Amino acid sequence: MPNISRAEVAHLAKLAHLAVTDEELDVFAGQLDQILDSVAKVGEVAGEDIPPTSHAVPLTNVFRDDVVRPGLTQQQALSGAPAAEEGRFRVPRILGEEQ
């Protein structure tokens, strides 16, 4: 007995805005049924004493430590700007008057 029906596959395809044929519904129902069976088998194997993992091998952070460094002052940041106004970058308006 399949875990997922053609009607469920058709509903999923509709939600995903996929156009599928009747033949594809049968194929996808079988494929999704196999996927669900495989996931169920993995769920049976994973016992209470086995911690959940996201990767098969341990991952380590290769980034450098965050170090606080002095940043630009407001005047230094605006010194290279083509235009500044009230302590901010002045940019051309891209929206119309109505908002």
Side-chain angles (χ1 to χ4, degrees):
M1 182 111 192
N3 292 329
I4 190 163
S5 67
R6 290 181 83 242
E8 290 171 319
V9 174
H11 180 67
L12 290 172
K14 182 179 177 185
L15 291 174
H17 300 285
L18 297 174
V20 294
T21 64
D22 288 337
E23 295 80 27
E24 289 173 327
L25 285 176
D26 292 329
V27 172
F28 294 155
Q31 290 175 344
L32 288 171
D33 193 42
Q34 285 181 325
I35 291 169
L36 292 174
D37 286 342
S38 298
V39 170
K41 287 178 186 176
V42 170
E44 291 172 5
V45 173
E48 298 278 331
D49 57 336
I50 300 173
T53 57
S54 61
H55 294 81
V57 294
L59 299 177
T60 56
N61 189 349
V62 295
F63 299 113
R64 63 174 167 73
D65 290 333
D66 288 334
V67 177
V68 177
R69 297 182 189 179
L72 297 176
T73 66
Q74 184 180 24
Q75 287 186 341
Q76 288 172 326
L78 293 173
S79 67
E85 184 178 298
E86 297 179 8
R88 297 183 224 145
F89 294 102
R90 179 165 171 72
V91 295
R93 180 182 293 269
I94 59 170
L95 300 175
E97 292 296 322
E98 63 280 340
Q99 291 183 1

